[in-house]
Structures are given as C-alpha cells and as structure tokens.
Amino acid sequence: MRSGNLLKIAARSIARNKMRSLLTMLGIVIGVAAVIVMVAVGDGAQTRIREQIDNLGTNMIVITPGSSSAGGVNRGAGSFNRLTLDDAEALERESLLLTAVSPVIFTHGQIIGGQGNWRAPIMGVDTDYAVIRDWPVSAGRWFDQEDVRAKRKVALIGATIAEELYAGTDPVGQRIQLRNVPFTIVGVLAEKGQTAEGSDQDDVVLAPYTTVQTRLAGRSFIGQILASTSAPEQIEAAQADVRLIMRDSHALGDWEEDDFTVRNQTELAEAAQGTTEVMTLLLAAIASISLLVGGIGIMNIMLVSVTERTREIGIRMAIGARGGDILTQFLVESTVMSLLGGFIGVATGYLGSALLGRITGWDTAILPHTVAVALLFSAGVGIFFGFYPARKAAALNPIEALRHE
Amino acid sequence: MGEPRIIEAEGITKVYRAGRNEVPALRGVDLIVAPGEMVAIMGASGSGKSTLMNIIGGLDAPTEGSYRLNGTRVDGLDRARMADIRNREIGFVFQGFNLLARTSALENVELPLLYDRSGRRRDTRRLAREALAQVGLADRADHGPSELSGGQQQRVAIARALITEPALILADEPTGNLDSRTSVEVLALFQELNDQGITILLVTHEADLARYARRLVALRDGLVVRDEAVPDRRRAAADLAAMPELQEAG
C-alpha cells in the first residue's frame, strides 16, 4: 500500500466523524499548546531575567541587615536594622577583594522642580555606586568624592524623573527640591528599565549618602551596602571575606548568628527565577497530563473505530491485505489524527504565547525546533497509543471479521 | 505432474473445537479442479461447504490434508503468505457484496492492486476502469455502493475479483441477496467469464443455480457425496431472453 493511499484512507476516516475526531484531538491540542506556551514563556522569562541580572550591575554583592534565620527563628530581614556607615567603611578598608563599596540609604519624599512635583525614592549612595550598578550618566556628570566629602547638595535624577519634571529642557544645572531641601542636578542617569519585579529603576533620585544622611534621613542606619569585585570568580571568596569583616565590625561572638545577609547577583536572580520555574513546572504538568489523556482518548476512539470497521478489515484481508497492512493503516490513522491535533496545538500555542507576551511584555519567541519537537511528540503519542488498537485490528481473523455485522 | 490443476485438495479435514467437544466440519474431502472449469459446490447448511470454501479461499487452514492452489502449496503457510496467495490467486465474490462503504466503485475495484506486493501492476486506475468496463459498469465508476443497485454492486465486486487476473474466482452465494432476474444476470456474467477461460467455483445451496455450472459437487456431513457433470446445463443468457422485461430492482 502506497503512503498516498494510506493517508487518503486516514483522512477519509477522520473526516467521516469530524466531531468525534475533533474531540479526540482536543487533548493533544491542549497538550501541545501548553508545551509551546511553556517553552516560549520559559525562554522569554529566561532571557528577561538574564538581562535583568546583567542590568543590576557587575559582580555585585548585596549586604542587607538582619539574617534570614537567627537561631532557627526567622526574624525577617530588616526586622532590626544594624547596618551602619562604619560597616561600609570597614569593608572598604579591610577587604582586598572588593573593588567598590557603596552604602545605600533609602528614603523617599516629595520632589519639586522643573514643571511640577513628583514622588520618588531618594537614595543616598557613594560614587562607587556607578561602578557597582554599571550605571553611567546620559547627561552631566556623576557626583564625585569631593561632593561626598563636603556633603554637597547635588543630585542625579533618573530618566523617568527627567521626563516627568524636565521634559524638553536640560535638567543639568537646574534646581530640585527634595523634601523641601534645595539640591542642584549635576547629571541625568542613563535609562535602565524595569526590575524583574516590574518596578521602574529610572524613577529615582541619587545623592551623596553623606548629604542624604544629614539633610534628609537623619539616621545612622543604612538600608543596604552594595559592593563588587573585579571578576566573577572572586565573588565567592569576597562574600566570605565580607562576612568575616561584618562579624568583626558588629563584634559578634562565636555563638551568635549573623545579623546581616550577604547575597550575590546569582542568588538574587535565583529567587526571581523560582517564580518562572513554578510556572514552567505547572505548564509542563498540564502538558504531560493533557498529552496522556489525549493519547488515551485516541486509543479509545481507535478501538471504537476498529470495532466499527471490523467488516472493512475482513474485506481488506480477504482481498489480500496482510496483518501488517492493516496495522499500518490504523497506525497512520491515529498518527495523522494526533499530528493534526499537534498542528492545531502549535497554532493555538503560538497565539497563546503571543498574547501572553503582550500582557507580560516578555519576549516569547517560538523557535522552530520547539515546533518540531512538539509535532514529533504528538506523532509519538499517536503511534504509541494507536499501536494497541492497530495490533488488535491486524490480529483479526478474516473469516470472523467478514461475518461481523 | 500431468495436466495443470487450479485446485488440488486431498484428504482435507477440518475439526472445530467447541469447549471439550470436537466438531468435525470436513471429514476427508478430495477435490480437483482443472483450469476453465465452472464448478458448483452444493450442500445444505452444516454440510461443510462454507468451511471448504474458506480453506480453498486461503482464509482458513485445514486440520489435515494437503491443498495446492495453482501449483502452490497453501496448507502450512503463515498469515502473511496466505494473504499474498488470496491477493494473487483468488478473486472473492460474496453474498453481501462486501464493498467498502463511501468508496467509489473505481476505488473498490482498484483495492486488491494496492495490496499487490509484486508491484507488477502500476497503472491501477486504468486497470480498474477496464475491469469495470468488463462488467458493463464503466459509466458508474464514480458512484459509491449506496448509489448502486444490488446487481450493480455485485458486478463491481466481480470486477474487483477480476482485476488481479486470479487463477480462481470464488463466489460464495453470489446471488443470495439478489432477485431472480438479477441473479440470472449475474450468472450470465459468470458464464461469460467462464467462456473466456476463467475458472469459477460457485458455492450455493440453491439447486437452480447449480444448473448453470458445468460440474456439480455436493457435500453432506463433511463428505463429498456427488461429483458429476451438470446434465443439460442452462445458459443464463438464453434464460434472460425468455424472461419478461422488468425494471432492475435493487
């Protein structure tokens, strides 16, 4: 039997029971669509996260107050604030591996300047912050060591604020009031985009930490300390180094837990990645269950089909079809059916991931090999679940099959 | 080995098992059919004629005995080889026509060629058209079975049987579902084909139909009880001419 004829027989049989075939394919359609969306979203999220990690800065280490677990009891990070400027100075002074260290003091408040007012986070940082976050200015200049030492009221504004308050004008050199304290804008930060969590990094004002502490925050505790090494290989050693220096700086006894947390960029990324992994896992579960159920559906329908067409099988055998011919005929039919489901699934998945890409803003590109794998998989399901009914058909006794009503 | 033979069956027995009982259907049947014969196999139900037909047709294997079809030993072959023998050497014509539903007459006739492994016949469509023309249905090629009368369906089945140029046409109660006039028409076709040298085996329980064959073999209780030439053989064409003209009924 030529393949053209086999395909024709299969197509005819599927077309004869359109509704039935369609319902049978549904499981495969959902399964394949889920696979396509899963891979597209997974790829998109992966790319996105990688971009964001690079975006965070280079070889960054983050020191935050509080420990994730203290003596088995999680007190929550920041539940008692014990990061000080002394810690930052100690790190700068004592670590040989850290090439840049910057305290970060978080506050926020009303900003008045240019064409109106705005509310945004204000961060007090050191000049090293530019290196750690890999964040240059697009206009003007970064504030320098002299500005920090002299606690000058100079500020850098993010691209969003430049857009909101100084649209159409050059903000450099202009006045800006941060919580009613007048500052001079010395530069505009280059655009950085969103974080993994979706917050706008460009909606920020940076000022020397010394100025922020004395003029705005009035606290000696700081939100976090950022540091970086010159090469990624040194991060682990630097982290250990940081821990020792911090423990020493906090005068912790041997029996005491760390009252700070040291994490690197990769660890931050892993946390973000966890979310997409759950989503991917969920979709993978849906996909495999759906393919399994779809496969069983195909097997069921093929068994029905074999029974319905017992007489046809008898006729074919009487005029010379071998068992193998009958087996092939039914296998082709189940495979065509699941492949068709696969094609519909690919189309559905394509639309689904395009839609999801729109909503999330992720780049949900569908790679050709994903489509190939999905189709191969659905063909595999057709062959696997079609085999038992096909073998049953092939094993029929022609005499009894011909007698079947 | 002397003159050529289409069927050469010796000491054929067939025993069916029903639980612990053994039911003999054939108890030693010898049958030799030469090329060009038209043999009617007669018998009441339970006589073993269906069993004999299945064995001759290569659908079933005898319990004992040897069977050669057109010189090929058939008993002892595996399922696949049996299928090939059926495809190449036998053309079946059944009582219930057994055409594939929702499949055109042309495609039904073509079907055996699609299972031909020798690949001898390439132009299957043209051959199918010729076979349909041979049974007078060239203009019905694209009709499905449901659009054809019973007599036309049986002629399509005969065309399907002819297309592989088999050694033997095996017709099992070919007129069982047809009215008397159409039955005679079908028999006229068989006689015409037989006159062209095609060997035909006609299995029937109707004595009337057996009179159109050249030779009559009667079975009873699994044994051949009569094997003789048909005296004053009837010609279906002549009978048809004598019949009043009727509209063909399905």
Side-chain angles (χ1 to χ4, degrees):
Chain A
M1 187 70 94
R2 279 174 299 220
S3 50
N5 289 312
L6 284 166
L7 286 175
K8 201 158 88 184
I9 294 168
R12 231 180 242 179
S13 165
I14 290 165
R16 194 170 297 161
N17 298 297
K18 282 190 194 68
M19 194 62 185
R20 188 168 94 179
S21 305
L22 212 70
L23 289 174
T24 306
M25 286 176 214
L26 204 59
I28 304 292
V29 171
I30 294 170
V32 168
V35 169
I36 295 284
V37 172
M38 175 182 81
V39 174
V41 166
D43 268 13
Q46 214 77 17
T47 314
R48 181 86 181 181
I49 285 165
R50 207 173 308 123
E51 275 170 14
Q52 275 161 353
I53 295 164
D54 294 343
N55 194 277
L56 280 176
T58 41
N59 314 322
M60 191 172 76
I61 293 172
V62 183
I63 303 128
T64 46
S67 115
S68 53
S69 139
V73 182
N74 193 331
R75 281 179 269 178
S79 53
F80 59 119
N81 206 329
R82 277 215 56 184
L83 279 186
T84 62
L85 290 174
D86 291 340
D87 295 334
E89 273 159 30
L91 288 171
E92 208 155 359
R93 204 170 49 238
E94 290 170 34
S95 174
L96 298 174
L97 294 168
L98 299 177
T99 50
V101 177
S102 169
V104 183
I105 302 173
F106 295 97
T107 180
H108 50 251
Q110 213 62 25
I111 299 161
I112 305 166
Q115 290 128 16
N117 69 92
W118 191 250
R119 196 176 169 83
I122 300 161
M123 302 204 302
V125 299
D126 199 354
T127 50
D128 276 357
Y129 192 80
V131 180
I132 300 164
R133 295 290 318 271
D134 188 21
W135 204 351
V137 287
S138 60
R141 63 170 180 90
W142 253 88
F143 53 76
D144 55 25
Q145 281 298 329
E146 193 47 43
D147 295 324
V148 174
R149 197 165 25 245
K151 300 180 186 174
R152 285 192 188 130
K153 290 180 276 181
V154 289
L156 294 165
I157 58 172
T160 302
I161 293 174
E163 181 67 29
E164 291 292 337
L165 296 181
Y166 299 96
T169 62
D170 182 9
V172 177
Q174 296 208 43
R175 281 291 171 100
I176 188 167
Q177 284 188 39
L178 308 177
R179 283 219 211 133
N180 296 326
V181 180
F183 278 68
T184 305
I185 298 170
V186 292
V188 178
L189 291 162
E191 204 169 320
K192 199 114 169 128
Q194 290 188 342
T195 64
E197 292 78 32
S199 65
D200 182 5
Q201 300 185 83
D202 297 317
D203 187 16
V204 73
V205 176
L206 299 185
Y209 70 95
T210 48
T211 322
V212 171
Q213 195 185 26
T214 51
R215 298 281 180 172
L216 302 176
R219 293 180 294 171
S220 55
F221 293 132
I222 59 180
Q224 60 177 209
I225 298 170
L226 296 186
S228 69
T229 61
S230 57
E233 303 83 57
Q234 292 172 340
I235 283 188
E236 242 177 278
Q239 263 182 288
D241 208 14
V242 164
R243 199 174 154 247
L244 288 176
I245 296 166
M246 287 292 296
R247 284 185 70 84
D248 191 41
S249 172
H250 286 187
L252 293 176
D254 287 345
W255 65 94
E256 281 179 291
E257 299 275 341
D258 292 352
D259 57 0
F260 54 88
T261 308
V262 183
R263 284 183 299 176
N264 63 35
Q265 222 165 325
T266 325
E267 289 163 346
L268 290 173
E270 274 166 6
Q273 222 150 359
T275 329
T276 56
E277 259 165 32
V278 168
M279 192 160 159
T280 307
L281 220 69
L282 197 75
L283 274 164
I286 293 171
S288 37
I289 290 171
S290 197
L291 282 175
L292 185 74
V293 172
I296 293 168
I298 284 182
M299 177 143 79
N300 182 37
I301 280 306
M302 290 312 293
L303 282 172
V304 171
S305 183
V306 168
T307 308
E308 278 178 355
R309 288 152 72 191
T310 300
R311 200 175 172 83
E312 177 194 323
I313 295 164
I315 296 169
R316 288 182 185 277
M317 284 179 159
I319 61 173
R322 288 184 178 188
D325 292 319
I326 302 295
L327 184 94
T328 314
Q329 181 189 327
F330 281 91
L331 267 187
V332 167
E333 192 173 318
S334 62
T335 309
V336 165
M337 185 142 60
S338 64
L339 252 180
L340 211 60
F343 273 111
I344 299 172
V346 166
T348 313
Y350 184 81
L351 289 177
S353 50
L355 198 74
L356 214 72
R358 272 269 182 85
I359 294 167
T360 58
W362 292 349
D363 180 24
T364 53
I366 293 174
L367 303 168
H369 77 250
T370 314
V371 174
V373 166
L375 290 179
L376 222 68
F377 218 77
S378 50
V381 166
I383 292 169
F384 183 81
F385 287 98
F387 190 76
Y388 173 70
R391 216 191 50 179
K392 219 179 140 188
L396 283 175
N397 178 334
I399 298 170
E400 282 161 22
L402 277 171
R403 238 182 257 143
H404 188 91
E405 287 305 321
Chain B
M1 277 269 306
E3 66 263 43
R5 281 150 175 184
I6 298 296
I7 294 173
E8 194 175 0
E10 280 173 40
I12 299 289
T13 69
K14 182 72 187 181
V15 179
Y16 291 110
R17 289 176 178 280
R20 261 183 297 164
N21 298 332
E22 293 195 336
V23 182
L26 294 175
R27 299 188 293 173
V29 170
D30 299 331
L31 182 67
I32 287 169
V33 175
E37 279 201 274
M38 182 166 174
V39 182
I41 296 190
M42 280 209 55
S45 67
S47 62
K49 67 179 191 312
S50 291
T51 305
L52 183 61
M53 192 213 73
N54 286 337
I55 290 170
I56 289 172
L59 289 165
D60 204 354
T63 308
E64 272 174 61
S66 78
Y67 168 40
R68 283 172 179 278
L69 178 64
N70 201 19
T72 309
R73 179 124 190 197
V74 178
D75 56 288
L77 291 181
D78 63 24
R79 275 170 60 99
R81 305 292 312 149
M82 295 262 273
D84 292 351
I85 292 275
R86 289 196 297 272
N87 182 249
R88 206 168 51 237
E89 307 285 6
I90 294 169
F92 282 99
V93 178
F94 299 96
Q95 176 174 4
F97 320 133
N98 279 343
L99 299 177
L100 294 188
R102 298 177 202 84
T103 306
S104 73
L106 190 70
E107 285 173 303
N108 263 296
V109 174
E110 186 187 22
L111 199 57
L113 295 185
L114 303 184
Y115 291 115
D116 182 359
R117 264 152 220 289
S118 61
R120 316 168 269 175
R121 300 180 179 87
R122 315 229 96 217
D123 198 356
T124 57
R125 275 292 147 99
R126 187 179 54 81
L127 289 166
R129 278 187 198 286
E130 284 173 11
L132 270 179
Q134 207 179 345
V135 299
L137 284 177
D139 56 336
R140 294 282 192 274
D142 299 322
H143 290 55
S146 57
E147 298 166 303
L148 298 172
S149 71
Q152 287 171 333
Q153 286 188 57
Q154 196 60 302
R155 280 192 278 162
V156 172
I158 293 169
R160 182 179 66 187
L162 289 170
I163 196 163
T164 56
E165 294 172 14
L168 176 70
I169 297 274
L170 195 52
D172 180 19
E173 304 278 9
T175 61
N177 289 12
L178 301 175
D179 62 62
S180 52
R181 185 186 168 84
T182 317
S183 299
V184 179
E185 279 173 1
V186 165
L187 279 160
L189 180 56
F190 277 133
Q191 284 189 331
E192 192 189 319
L193 294 170
N194 181 238
D195 290 344
Q196 292 164 20
I198 294 170
T199 312
I200 296 172
L201 204 70
L202 197 65
V203 179
T204 182
H205 65 280
E206 286 180 70
D208 279 357
L209 294 185
R211 291 167 61 203
Y212 291 95
R214 292 176 196 268
R215 176 180 156 199
L216 172 74
V217 173
L219 286 179
R220 188 187 296 153
D221 298 333
L223 286 169
V224 175
V225 290
R226 252 167 80 197
D227 186 349
E228 60 191 23
V230 175
D232 57 61
R233 182 190 187 211
R234 297 186 73 90
R235 297 298 302 184
D239 287 354
L240 266 181
M243 276 184 176
E245 198 64 45
L246 285 174
Q247 280 220 297
E248 194 180 59

